[in-house]
């Protein structure tokens, strides 16, 4: 499309890995993605499968989605597909929709066209901001890691490699394209992507790619909380949470992402809180592996529990009444975290409930037992109690008691009757399930139920 002047320093000559030399086959690919590739070619355009899908297939993984890169403009793509819609304002992308599968088709892009805020000017000095298209070589070098910049073509079923990504995938190494510090400054979220992809792929991080991270970790404060929230969910709800956490620690990213938890872990000499947190993440990974649902609320309850415990201890040391201290600690920790990673209330409220229900597991009066059992957050709170055993066996008796209770038919019947009665009485009754443990403001907030089907 553009006149490409190869600069061997940025864009080394293409290396072509022929069909017989690599492990990719069309059988492993989405039929819809292939349809898109063929249609674009029939339209006279170049089209490649690129990014995570090529990378994952090369290491024997199952890609989440299939992305296509092409020299057709979004409008030209749209003209070829009836089932196509254009999205994005600054950089337009084409989505080709096949039922529930969306094939994202992006026009080759030069650096500065995406999230990094980099501005470029053309020969006349005009600001090129909205659509900065480029050659395939431009497109390759603006990607983050070499493993993410491999292009598969149906022309001859080869893989095109402009940045040495094929050798890196073979060696299972994650390496930033270009100068690492520059690339992290352009977009600090790339540091989190390094941790996440290393964890997901079981790759090592090349020394030059890892080295600048601890000193640049603070730049994450400039990233938008909403994007950091999304990235946090990807880090911890994609089946590689424990490994992701360990990479975050190793790269010195924890204080930037979860500042108060990092602080609490550092001052918890016994290591009990870290043990519990890691066990919680391993449990999450096991659930993902078994296709069981996982919830951001429970995840955040685990991630921020060390921060909560520390804040609670500080407040109690100041003489704040325990019940009040719990409420304040929960509010304070959520509030502080929201400044870093966004945390929508539909997740932070159940997270707080999971914490605030913990003391109620020590109660044994029959009526209170039934009430807790009937609580909409009982299951999550109980799972959390069980998880706390990893940190201390002080709760062993409670866990045993509540395990029994759940098997007791009389208790389950009583609890379900309570639930029915409460939902018949409406929202007011739900607030009452608090047993007066929490002040009125919390009762009111609890009326906001999580979306139906939200997992425990
Ligand atoms: P996964 O889908 O497994 O999370 P992915 O590598 O496909 O991993 P996406 O977020 O889907 O991640 O991005 C698709 C591709 O876009 C990447 O493979 C990479 O080439 C490019 N990319 C994504 N984020 C960035 C970024 N911050 N900087 C540069 N290139 C990026
Ligand atoms: Mg992807």
């Amino acid at each position: 499309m553009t006149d490409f002047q190869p600069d061997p320093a940025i864009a080394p000559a293409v290396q072509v890995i022929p069909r017989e030399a690599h492990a990719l086959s069309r059988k492993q690919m989405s039929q819809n993605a292939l349809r898109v590739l063929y249609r674009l070619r029939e339209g006279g355009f170049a089209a490649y499968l690129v990014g995570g899908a090529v990378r994952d297939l090369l290491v024997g993984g199952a890609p989440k989605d299939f992305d296509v890169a092409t020299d057709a403009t979004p409008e030209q793509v749209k003209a070829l597909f009836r089932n196509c819609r254009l999205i994005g304002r600054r950089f337009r992308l084409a989505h080709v929709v096949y039922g529930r599968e969306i094939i994202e088709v992006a026009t080759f892009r030069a650096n500065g066209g995406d999230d990094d805020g980099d501005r470029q000017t053309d020969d006349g000095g005009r600001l090129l901001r909205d659509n900065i298209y480029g050659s395939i070589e431009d497109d390759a070098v603006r990607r983050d890691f070499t493993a993410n910049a491999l292009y598969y073509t149906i022309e001859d079923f080869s893989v095109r490699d402009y940045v040495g990504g094929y050798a890196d995938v073979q060696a299972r190494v994650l390496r930033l394209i270009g100068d690492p510090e520059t690339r992290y400054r352009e977009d600090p979220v790339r540091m989190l992507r390094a941790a996440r992809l290393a964890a997901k792929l079981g790759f090592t991080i090349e020394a030059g790619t890892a080295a600048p991270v601890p000193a640049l970790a603070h730049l994450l404060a400039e990233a938008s909380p909403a994007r950091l929230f999304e990235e946090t969910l990807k880090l911890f709800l994609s089946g590689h949470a424990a490994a992701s956490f360990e990479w975050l620690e190793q790269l010195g990213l924890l204080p930037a992402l979860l500042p108060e938890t990092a602080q609490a872990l550092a001052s918890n000499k016994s290591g009990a809180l870290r043990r519990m947190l890691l066990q919680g993440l391993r449990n999450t990974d096991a659930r993902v592996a078994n296709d069981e649902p996982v919830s951001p609320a429970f995840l955040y309850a685990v991630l921020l529990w060390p921060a909560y415990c520390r804040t609670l201890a500080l407040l109690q040391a100041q003489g704040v009444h325990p019940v009040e201290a719990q409420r304040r600690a929960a509010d304070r920790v959520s509030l502080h975290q929201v400044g870093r990673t966004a945390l929508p209330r539909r997740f932070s409220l159940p997270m707080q409930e999971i914490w605030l229900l913990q003391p109620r597991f020590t109660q044994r009066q029959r009526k209170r037992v039934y009430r807790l059992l009937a609580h909409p957050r009982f299951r999550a709170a109980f799972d959390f109690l069980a998880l706390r055993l990893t940190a201390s066996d002080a709760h062993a008796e409670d866990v045993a008691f509540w395990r029994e209770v759940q098997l007791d038919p009389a208790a389950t019947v009583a609890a379900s009757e309570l639930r029915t009665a409460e939902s018949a009485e409406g929202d007011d009754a739900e607030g009452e399930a608090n047993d007066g443990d929490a002040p009125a403001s919390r009762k009111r907030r609890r009326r906001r139920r999580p979306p139906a089907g939200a997992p425990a």
Side-chain angles (χ1 to χ4, degrees):
M1 268 182 60
T2 56
D3 294 331
F4 175 65
Q5 307 288 318
D7 174 353
I10 329 170
V14 63
Q15 193 203 337
V16 179
I17 299 101
R19 166 187 211 168
E20 56 285 358
H22 64 69
L24 297 188
S25 86
R26 275 171 294 168
K27 282 194 214 76
Q28 310 160 297
M29 294 171 193
S30 147
Q31 292 311 300
N32 294 325
L34 288 168
R35 235 170 245 143
V36 170
L37 292 179
Y38 281 102
R39 177 80 62 85
L40 282 164
R41 184 175 69 168
E42 284 158 23
F45 300 105
Y48 300 84
L49 201 61
V50 68
V54 177
R55 176 200 70 208
D56 290 353
L57 287 175
L58 283 175
V59 298
K64 283 200 319 256
D65 39 43
F66 290 81
D67 295 334
V68 168
T70 178
D71 62 359
T73 64
E75 290 71 22
Q76 288 170 324
V77 176
K78 189 164 172 51
L80 283 177
F81 297 91
R82 261 183 306 122
N83 48 333
C84 175
R85 53 170 196 249
L86 301 186
I87 62 148
R89 274 189 307 139
R90 269 190 66 198
F91 192 90
R92 307 248 279 161
L93 294 170
H95 276 179
V96 186
V97 184
Y98 295 94
R100 286 168 59 192
E101 189 180 15
I102 294 176
I103 308 298
E104 189 169 286
V105 183
T107 308
F108 294 143
R109 194 191 298 191
N111 208 357
D114 58 1
D115 22 47
D116 49 24
D118 204 13
R119 296 285 191 273
Q120 293 190 344
T121 53
D122 68 7
D123 292 344
R126 189 172 56 94
L127 201 58
L128 297 177
R129 193 171 47 213
D130 295 319
N131 274 328
I132 308 168
Y133 299 134
S135 62
I136 185 169
E137 290 86 350
D138 293 331
D139 193 79
V141 298
R142 67 98 193 157
R143 291 178 184 270
D144 47 7
F145 302 100
T146 60
N148 285 346
L150 294 168
Y151 297 75
Y152 171 85
T153 171
I154 49 156
E155 216 54 66
D156 56 5
F157 311 109
S158 66
V159 171
R160 309 279 170 110
D161 178 6
Y162 299 87
V163 293
Y166 191 75
D168 284 341
V169 170
Q170 302 300 306
R172 306 183 79 85
V173 170
L174 209 57
R175 182 196 311 269
L176 266 179
I177 300 167
D179 171 57
E181 177 158 350
T182 310
R183 301 306 309 282
Y184 290 136
R185 286 190 184 279
E186 282 172 359
D187 179 11
V189 172
R190 287 173 183 150
M191 295 186 274
L192 295 178
R193 288 178 54 84
R196 174 166 73 81
L197 292 174
K200 165 179 166 161
L201 301 165
F203 279 22
T204 57
I205 302 181
E206 181 263 332
T209 297
V213 175
L216 299 177
H218 67 276
L219 294 176
L220 277 174
E222 293 166 17
S224 93
R227 189 163 170 224
L228 290 181
F229 174 68
E230 289 305 316
E231 201 55 39
T232 303
L233 297 188
K234 284 193 192 173
L235 275 160
F236 297 114
L237 295 182
S238 308
H240 307 276
S244 291
F245 185 83
E246 284 168 343
W247 271 115
L248 291 177
E249 284 186 314
Q250 200 172 324
L251 293 170
L253 288 166
L254 209 53
L257 195 66
L258 300 162
E260 296 194 345
T261 283
Q263 217 177 351
L265 293 181
S267 61
N268 180 231
K269 296 284 179 277
S270 72
L273 287 173
R274 182 177 181 278
R275 233 178 10 254
M276 174 186 155
L277 200 160
L278 266 176
Q279 188 56 47
L281 297 180
R282 281 189 212 106
N283 296 351
T284 307
D285 290 342
R287 292 183 66 94
V288 173
N290 292 328
D291 264 331
E292 292 171 88
V294 287
S295 84
F298 193 89
L299 169 71
Y300 265 89
V302 170
L303 290 175
L304 295 178
W305 177 250
Y308 172 76
C309 290
R310 183 164 182 272
T311 309
L312 182 61
L314 291 174
L315 288 167
Q316 284 185 316
Q318 289 164 17
V320 181
H321 182 273
V323 172
E324 174 63 11
Q326 287 157 24
R327 193 189 61 78
R328 270 203 238 165
D331 277 343
R332 199 175 287 181
V333 168
S334 324
L335 187 72
H336 291 176
Q337 185 60 34
V338 164
R340 194 53 58 115
T341 68
L343 181 56
R345 284 167 66 83
R346 67 178 185 282
F347 302 132
S348 67
L349 293 185
M351 170 193 80
Q352 295 187 349
E353 280 185 313
I354 289 170
W355 294 340
L356 296 173
L357 286 174
Q358 295 305 307
R360 286 174 54 182
F361 284 108
T362 56
Q363 300 175 350
R364 295 287 185 273
Q365 299 98 317
R366 190 197 299 242
K367 207 170 155 195
R368 293 190 169 208
V369 167
Y370 292 167
R371 278 225 166 117
L372 184 49
L373 201 54
H375 194 285
R377 210 70 60 204
F378 169 79
R379 188 64 215 189
F382 172 75
D383 287 347
F384 197 84
L385 178 74
L387 177 61
R388 290 172 66 202
L389 278 182
T390 333
S392 144
D393 51 18
H395 321 287
E397 231 177 84
D398 292 337
V399 172
F401 173 82
W402 286 94
R403 208 163 259 151
E404 283 297 307
V405 169
Q406 291 173 78
L407 298 173
D408 175 357
T412 6
V413 169
S416 87
E417 280 170 0
L418 258 181
R419 264 195 298 264
T420 319
E422 283 177 1
S423 58
E425 279 171 41
D427 284 344
D428 289 342
E430 196 195 332
E432 212 193 308
N434 251 333
D435 270 357
D437 271 359
S441 66
R442 182 161 304 282
K443 289 186 184 178
R444 232 174 292 121
R445 284 208 225 142
R446 284 193 19 189
R447 291 185 190 181
R448 291 187 46 171
R449 284 173 173 276

